[in-house]
C-alpha cells in the first residue's frame, strides 16, 4: 500500500470512528455526515494530487536521465512548489506554479 493510500485509509478510519461516536451520543445529523464526507474528500483530493505530482517528478527525472550529458541546451526547468494547505495567498486550493 502506498503512503498516499495509507493516508486516505487512516482518515476514513478516523471519520468512521467519529461517526460511530456521534451516533452513540445521539448527535449524528446530516450536517455531521456532510462535514465528515467533506474531510475525506479533501484528504483524498490532496493525496491524489501528491501521488500524481510524485509520479510526474519521478518520470521526468527518469526521462532526463536518459539524455545523460546530451541534455538539450534550450531545455527549460520549472519549479513546482510543494503543496501548501493554505494555497496561494493563504486561501484554500492548489498552489500556482512559479516559472523561473
Amino acid at each position: 500500500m502506498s503512503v498516499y493510500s495509507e493516508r486516505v485509509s487512516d482518515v476514513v478510519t478516523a471519520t468512521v470512528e467519529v461517526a460511530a461516536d456521534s451516533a452513540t451520543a445521539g448527535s449524528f445529523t446530516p450536517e455531521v455526515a456532510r462535514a465528515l464526507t467533506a474531510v475525506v474528500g479533501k484528504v483524498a483530493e490532496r493525496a491524489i494530487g501528491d501521488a500524481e505530482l510524485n509520479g510526474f517528478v519521478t518520470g521526468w527525472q527518469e526521462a532526463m536521465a536518459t539524455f545523460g550529458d546530451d541534455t538539450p541546451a534550450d531545455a527549460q526547468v520549472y519549479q513546482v512548489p510543494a503543496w501548501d494547505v493554505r494555497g496561494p495567498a493563504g486561501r484554500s486550493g492548489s498552489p500556482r506554479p512559479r516559472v523561473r
Side-chain angles (χ1 to χ4, degrees):
M1 181 180 285
S2 77
V3 66
Y4 309 107
S5 298
E6 288 178 15
R7 185 186 321 167
V8 174
S9 178
D10 289 346
V11 170
V12 169
T13 300
T15 54
V16 169
E17 290 172 2
V18 169
D21 291 345
S22 179
T24 300
S27 60
F28 190 79
T29 64
E31 291 80 20
V32 171
R34 281 191 286 278
L36 294 174
T37 301
V39 168
V40 172
K42 290 287 185 180
V43 170
E45 181 181 318
R46 289 184 183 142
I48 289 168
D50 290 348
E52 288 176 348
L53 179 60
N54 184 44
F56 172 79
V57 169
T58 302
W60 180 258
Q61 289 169 342
E62 290 174 4
M64 289 294 99
T66 62
F67 280 114
D69 291 333
D70 297 331
T71 305
D74 60 345
Q76 296 181 7
V77 176
Y78 297 96
Q79 179 182 1
V80 178
W83 180 267
D84 181 357
V85 175
R86 293 166 291 144
R91 295 185 306 268
S92 176
S94 62
R96 293 186 186 118
R98 289 177 283 164
V99 179
R100 290 185 178 223

